[in-house]
Amino acid sequence: MQVLASQLRGEYLSLRELYPDCPEALAEVIQRCLRRQPEERFASSAELEAALIAAVPENWTAADAALWWKSCEKRN
């Protein structure tokens, strides 16, 4: 919510500033989804899916992802 709120104010707080352990490529995908200008966001769900697949570390499992999301919830 802090990232989204900062973008609505015209500030661009990086997701990695809040969650330094977030993989950089994943943070970039999320930031792109939140861009104000529609043309700066992904053009389709297929494009977003491809970017997410490319952004997730190869060795990440569903369990790793669940642990990471839980750690994010604890910080909020």
Side-chain angles (χ1 to χ4, degrees):
M1 287 302 294
Q2 288 176 305
V3 172
L4 181 58
S6 72
Q7 289 181 329
L8 290 172
R9 291 188 305 267
E11 303 163 1
Y12 294 95
L13 179 65
S14 167
L15 182 66
R16 286 185 44 88
E17 289 178 49
L18 296 170
Y19 305 105
D21 59 333
C22 177
E24 188 170 344
L26 180 57
E28 289 173 10
V29 170
I30 294 168
Q31 294 282 154
R32 186 171 170 188
C33 289
L34 297 173
R35 293 211 177 117
R36 291 182 75 129
Q37 301 300 319
E39 63 273 6
E40 294 178 356
R41 298 190 294 256
F42 293 98
S44 68
S45 59
E47 188 179 330
L48 172 57
E49 178 184 30
L52 285 169
I53 289 169
V56 174
E58 287 184 32
N59 59 346
W60 256 30
T61 64
D64 293 329
L67 285 172
W68 183 78
W69 281 112
K70 282 216 176 281
S71 75
C72 292
E73 290 172 0
K74 289 178 184 176
R75 292 179 217 167
N76 291 325

